[in-house]
Amino acid sequence: MLPGGDLKSATMFTPGKRKRMNLVAILLNVFVPWVVFCVLFALVSFSFHYQHPTWTWVFVVLGYVGVLALAIFTWRTKQRNGDPMWFGFAVLALFVAVTLAALLGDMNFWYNMQPFYDIENLNTYPNVDPSVDRGQQRMDAGRAYFTQGTKVDVTKSMGFKNLDIYCVAPIVKTGEKPDTYDFWAVGTNCCSGNSPDFRCGQYANPRARSGLRLMRDDQRPFFRLAVQQAEAAFRITAAHPLFFYWMQDPVAEMNSYRDEGFKYYLLGIFTFFSLNLFGVLCAVIGFSKF
């Protein structure tokens, strides 16, 4: 072999010509941010957040501390004339992983898992008679199964508008007029607010005789205002109103919150893995040119 050919072969991968790609660094950048995202996303989304809310956010802060420590290490590596490219990518990928895990996990917890855990921890009451039972007796109700002949009295429905329309209608027993209307079916944007035209939940289902408790603390004051309007308009009393979503099968509806939470989690981890893999591939192409 000619000497010139050996020299060319020996120098074609030296610095300044073409970068060798570090396979270990590539794999670490593919999987480590994804694992961090999966773990934090799960912590913020599910029962750990419900049982230990403070510790949940401590772990999120620790995630950012880890990112900061890696950023300092990357800067020191650069100061020593090292090659910090993959370290820099890892800092960015881990920062995005921690941030998205915290934001998406909190949304998943707030909209899906917290209502499920709240209702699961409350009582279930069978044979609730709205003409006899009082709201004070059922303050810890998560699911209520009403007696035969119970219906939603659409003629006494009311809506309160604050951006959305918060609709309420009393749950009553046919032919009975209670002293206090303490059980109310609720929904948002399913009535006009100007006339008794309640169309929320399964109001038209003749088999619906159950209620799933409203757990949204941010919505409850507006439903209470709608009830106060109904009290004034129809000359009725609601001493201790409890709010329910009217339906046939509260268990199926409650489980749908949990199922949505798990689906949201699985979608999140697969989407993040795909985006992170795409980012690593772009980095490989970009780094190979410098």
Side-chain angles (χ1 to χ4, degrees), residues 30-80:
V30 169
F31 289 105
V32 171
W34 181 64
V35 170
V36 169
F37 175 81
C38 291
V39 172
L40 284 181
F41 194 16
L43 288 177
V44 180
S45 289
F46 299 125
S47 59
F48 187 85
H49 188 174
Y50 190 79
Q51 297 168 358
H52 310 285
T54 302
W55 277 107
T56 298
W57 296 111
V58 167
F59 280 116
V60 172
V61 171
L62 289 177
Y64 281 116
V65 170
V67 173
L68 179 61
L70 183 59
I72 294 173
F73 178 80
T74 302
W75 178 77
R76 289 181 176 177
T77 300
K78 186 176 181 180
Q79 293 297 107
R80 295 194 298 266

Side-chain angles (χ1 to χ4, degrees), residues 241-261:
L242 303 180
F243 303 122
F244 296 90
Y245 296 109
W246 186 251
M247 62 190 62
Q248 180 178 347
D249 189 353
V251 174
E253 182 68 19
M254 185 181 73
N255 289 338
S256 72
Y257 291 148
R258 178 194 59 195
D259 296 341
E260 282 297 314

Side-chain angles (χ1 to χ4, degrees), residues 149-279:
T150 302
K151 66 175 185 178
V152 174
D153 188 356
V154 178
T155 63
K156 291 184 175 65
S157 63
M158 185 61 66
F160 176 84
K161 186 172 183 179
N162 182 35
L163 297 180
D164 293 316
I165 302 177
Y166 296 86
C167 309
V168 299
I171 299 170
V172 300
K173 194 169 184 179
T174 303
E176 301 286 343
K177 186 176 180 181
D179 295 332
T180 176
Y181 292 77
D182 285 351
F183 301 93
W184 293 78
V186 299
T188 55
N189 301 317
C190 46
C191 66
S192 65
N194 302 318
S195 59
D197 55 355
F198 186 86
R199 302 182 302 276
C200 306
Q202 300 179 19
Y203 76 102
N205 182 355
R207 296 184 178 181
R209 283 192 297 108
S210 307
L212 189 68
R213 186 76 171 270
L214 168 77
M215 302 307 301
R216 291 280 300 273
D217 292 334
D218 60 320
Q219 293 182 345
R220 191 174 295 109
F222 299 114
F223 286 122
R224 185 69 181 92
L225 290 171
V227 169
Q228 290 175 2
Q229 289 185 171
E231 288 181 284
F234 303 113
R235 299 180 184 276
I236 59 177
T237 300
H240 299 282
L242 303 180
F243 303 122
F244 296 90
Y245 296 109
W246 186 251
M247 62 190 62
Q248 180 178 347
D249 189 353
V251 174
E253 182 68 19
M254 185 181 73
N255 289 338
S256 72
Y257 291 148
R258 178 194 59 195
D259 296 341
E260 282 297 314
F262 281 111
K263 285 196 295 185
Y264 190 82
Y265 176 75
L266 292 175
L267 177 64
I269 62 175
F270 286 120
T271 300
F272 183 85
F273 181 82
S274 301
L275 292 176
N276 188 57
L277 179 62
F278 177 75

